[in-house]
Amino acid sequence: MLVSIVSPEYILGKALTENIAAHYSQKAFNHKGWSATHAYFADMRGFVMRFKVAAAVTDLEPRDPDKKDDGRALWRPTPHGDPPYYPQDAREAQRRERQHCESKNKRKCQHRLDDALPEKNAPLSSPSLGQMSPALGAQSPLLSPREDPSKSSTLSAKRHGWERLRVKTGIDFKIEPKGQGAHKTPKSPAVPPSPLSADFLTVHTPSTLVNGRDFAQTLDTVEDEKSQPKSPVESEVEPEFGRPHSVWQGNWPLSSLQMLYAYQNGIISQPPEVTAEDLSDRSKADVFVKAAAVGQLVWLIVQIITRTAEGMATSSLEITVLALAACSIVTYSLYWHKPQDIQVPIYFDAARLITREDVIQLAARSPVSTLVVRQFWLHGVAIREVSDIVFPWTPGLLIRFPGMKTPTKVNPVFIGIGGGGALFGAVHFAAWCFHFPSVVERDLWRISCVVLLLFPVLGTLTYCLTQRFAKDSDTADSKTARILKPVSYTFVLIYLLARCYVLVEVFRSLAYSPLSTFDEVNWPSMIPHAG
């Protein structure tokens, strides 16, 4: 409420941005179950996706960044603005996810971080087995066509264990089926050699190892030797050698742009099954309430016009209220299809397990923040919060300057702020001939009215020219920036001074108001009647 009184042009600019974003989302979805009301609701944190992910467990509650985990440096705006931010680096995200895992579990992270899930009850995999058939059945390259398929599961488990032994030793062996290539087993030495030594591998052939009774014991010995302390280089465990993180479920409120990406890439199969009428029914302000608010503002306008026609004085405070009413009417028209004050979100389920790439792409489509930045982490990716204090992404407005063939894409926020400021200033011209305490104050009021009308327009034009003569859509040419940016800052400073003077003058002039200011309109006399 206070912001709408102090800075109505800011609210109007935000309303214009949200309106354009909502209608763009409706057009891009091209789905009968998705309307502008759905897009508004999504940008209000209304749609919360329940997802499953195999990643390090993190707190998904948005919070202010701290010095240890500050992701603001990872949010780099793109020049073209689609998506709003550059996707974060996947390798760096893996490194940060490992740090989050170690910070939570207080031990070294030995999970694999490539989003690949093992088969149910399958042992640890190795790089050589990563390209094998998931079931290791009759089509597995390790199985001979002569072998009985009914014994494939038992044999494949043994072969898989042999592969682990082969990876550990670094020696390649040819696996022969039982009964082929029989070798005489020499007497065992007095001191049993290590299962990883050359003597042991010479005595025990692949056939005798895999098919022998001591195979499981051999693997246990190998595992014991692997678990013994080694040098830092040897004990380094690459993430692809371990198991993935356990699958857990989380909630993530998605903006309209993130919902669009999730729908187009199969993260969700369809928009949430809720109609626009249901969302409007949840709203605290229906069409009647909005119409009543607009009706009150129109009544204020009619009353001021009537007092002027009857020769009654109107205070400058009423003119300022009228200016606020004019901006509010435009804002209400832009927010006509937006639900108001909905506190309970709607939950829906993701169609599949989300991966790190999904998280990176969704994070790149986070809303553009204004003043407050809140974040959370998932899969080592920093994600901005979706809330009412941020502007949703829009494709921009295309403006064609006279004499230029190509249009210029500008941010609708600046167009809305400039137009709202000009509308606010134009209404104050109604008090051009009002009574003021002194001639100086009257002249300052008139100068302030001109500033409030022209400077928002000039400031917006300066911004558009800066975008037009920019090398790309994000950074302006240095020569243009040196000239136009200081000019725009000067416009903003003078505009703020004029606003401050108007705010002070409307209350000071109340002490010097004419007596007719306190007269009331005789409305019955305004009604036509006979007699």
Side-chain angles (χ1 to χ4, degrees):
M1 184 64 180
L2 181 61
V3 178
S4 61
I5 295 176
V6 176
S7 181
E9 58 270 50
Y10 170 81
I11 301 298
L12 197 151
K14 190 173 186 296
L16 178 61
T17 304
E18 294 182 3
N19 182 275
I20 295 176
H23 286 85
Y24 167 80
S25 177
Q26 179 185 11
K27 182 179 179 181
F29 251 94
N30 193 22
H31 192 282
K32 63 179 181 180
W34 188 263
S35 63
T37 304
H38 289 81
Y40 274 125
F41 191 66
D43 290 328
M44 297 167 58
R45 295 171 55 93
F47 289 125
V48 179
M49 179 179 68
R50 287 190 297 247
F51 63 91
K52 291 183 179 180
V53 63
V57 179
T58 55
D59 186 7
L60 301 182
E61 183 67 25
R63 62 187 68 238
D64 297 332
D66 52 22
K67 295 181 179 180
K68 183 178 180 180
D69 281 336
D70 192 347
R72 285 177 291 188
L74 304 175
W75 299 320
R76 297 180 297 114
T78 56
H80 48 81
D82 186 15
Y85 301 99
Y86 283 108
Q88 300 176 33
D89 184 74
R91 291 186 178 273
E92 288 296 320
Q94 286 185 353
R95 181 184 60 82
R96 287 189 295 269
E97 182 179 4
R98 187 180 294 110
Q99 292 177 351
H100 293 160
C101 178
E102 294 174 353
S103 176
K104 183 177 182 61
N105 298 323
K106 307 300 181 183
R107 58 183 175 83
K108 185 175 180 59
C109 176
Q110 296 184 353
H111 296 90
R112 63 185 302 163
L113 304 175
D114 57 357
D115 292 326
L117 286 176
E119 295 296 325
K120 187 176 181 180
N121 299 327
L124 294 178
S125 60
S126 64
S128 61
L129 296 178
Q131 301 176 353
M132 294 173 57
S133 173
L136 288 176
Q139 298 179 354
S140 174
L142 292 181
L143 294 178
S144 173
R146 301 179 182 178
E147 294 172 347
D148 186 0
S150 62
K151 301 179 181 179
S152 60
S153 59
T154 304
L155 184 57
S156 61
K158 292 184 177 182
R159 301 297 170 85
H160 185 73
W162 175 252
E163 281 293 314
R164 294 165 57 194
L165 185 61
R166 182 184 65 79
V167 171
K168 180 64 180 178
T169 59
I171 303 175
D172 193 11
F173 299 94
K174 180 179 179 181
I175 308 249
E176 298 178 355
K178 186 174 182 180
Q180 298 182 13
H183 297 273
K184 294 182 178 180
T185 305
K187 295 181 179 180
S188 302
V191 179
S194 169
L196 303 182
S197 64
D199 294 336
F200 181 86
L201 296 174
T202 302
V203 174
H204 294 80
T205 63
S207 178
T208 59
L209 255 178
V210 175
N211 298 305
R213 298 180 178 178
D214 298 332
F215 177 70
Q217 183 178 359
T218 302
L219 287 183
D220 294 338
T221 307
V222 173
E223 295 298 331
D224 293 339
E225 290 195 11
K226 288 171 61 178
S227 61
Q228 293 179 359
K230 298 182 180 181
S231 63
V233 177
E234 286 183 273
S235 61
E236 185 75 19
V237 178
E238 295 297 331
E240 60 268 16
F241 280 83
R243 291 184 182 275
H245 286 92
S246 300
V247 177
W248 54 282
Q249 180 173 305
N251 299 327
W252 185 352
L254 300 182
S255 66
S256 58
L257 185 61
Q258 291 171 331
M259 290 285 292
L260 176 62
Y261 176 85
Y263 174 68
Q264 293 177 343
N265 291 271
I267 300 177
I268 58 175
S269 57
Q270 62 180 3
E273 296 181 356
V274 56
T275 63
E277 290 75 14
D278 293 336
L279 295 178
S280 300
D281 186 64
R282 289 167 169 256
S283 177
K284 302 299 187 298
D286 55 8
V287 176
F288 176 78
V289 175
K290 296 178 182 178
V294 173
Q296 289 179 343
L297 299 177
V298 173
W299 171 249
L300 176 63
I301 297 175
V302 172
Q303 190 175 19
I304 292 177
I305 294 176
T306 304
R307 292 178 61 85
T308 304
E310 290 291 318
M312 301 179 183
T314 302
S315 65
S316 56
L317 179 60
E318 291 178 292
I319 299 301
T320 300
V321 173
L322 180 62
L324 295 174
C327 294
S328 298
I329 290 176
V330 178
T331 302
Y332 265 109
S333 64
L334 293 173
Y335 277 154
W336 194 259
H337 296 287
K338 179 180 180 180
Q340 300 293 326
D341 299 330
I342 296 181
Q343 303 296 330
V344 180
I346 295 176
Y347 291 85
F348 63 98
D349 296 321
R352 58 174 174 82
L353 196 77
I354 64 171
T355 63
R356 178 178 286 104
E357 181 62 24
D358 295 333
V359 178
I360 290 175
Q361 294 299 328
L362 289 174
R365 288 157 178 80
S366 298
V368 181
S369 178
T370 50
L371 299 177
V372 181
V373 178
R374 296 171 64 86
Q375 67 174 26
F376 62 93
W377 293 87
L378 179 62
H379 253 317
V381 180
I383 305 169
R384 286 176 179 261
E385 178 193 18
V386 180
S387 64
D388 286 339
I389 61 174
V390 298
F391 289 99
W393 177 87
T394 65
L397 294 176
L398 296 179
I399 297 180
R400 189 182 300 274
F401 290 93
M404 297 182 179
K405 297 181 180 180
T406 58
T408 302
K409 185 174 73 171
V410 297
N411 193 331
V413 175
F414 296 97
I415 303 299
I417 292 178
L423 176 62
F424 183 82
V427 176
H428 284 82
F429 274 84
W432 188 270
C433 298
F434 278 17
H435 174 76
F436 289 92
S438 65
V439 177
V440 176
E441 293 182 40
R442 183 197 63 186
D443 294 341
L444 289 176
W445 177 274
R446 294 177 177 180
I447 294 174
S448 298
C449 290
V450 174
V451 170
L452 294 179
L453 175 64
L454 294 182
F455 276 45
V457 177
L458 294 177
T460 304
L461 181 61
T462 301
Y463 162 74
C464 295
L465 290 176
T466 303
Q467 294 296 106
R468 179 64 186 87
F469 294 106
K471 292 181 178 178
D472 51 46
S473 301
D474 185 49
T475 56
D477 178 76
S478 58
K479 184 177 180 180
T480 306
R482 285 198 302 268
I483 297 176
L484 294 181
K485 283 189 175 181
V487 173
S488 62
Y489 294 152
T490 303
F491 288 160
V492 172
L493 179 61
I494 297 177
Y495 178 80
L496 292 178
L497 291 175
R499 284 290 301 272
C500 291
Y501 174 77
V502 169
L503 182 63
V504 173
E505 183 62 27
V506 295
F507 291 102
R508 171 176 164 74
S509 60
L510 289 176
Y512 303 91
S513 299
L515 295 179
S516 60
T517 304
F518 305 98
D519 295 339
E520 295 183 359
V521 177
N522 186 10
W523 292 107
S525 64
M526 306 292 296
I527 301 175
H529 59 280

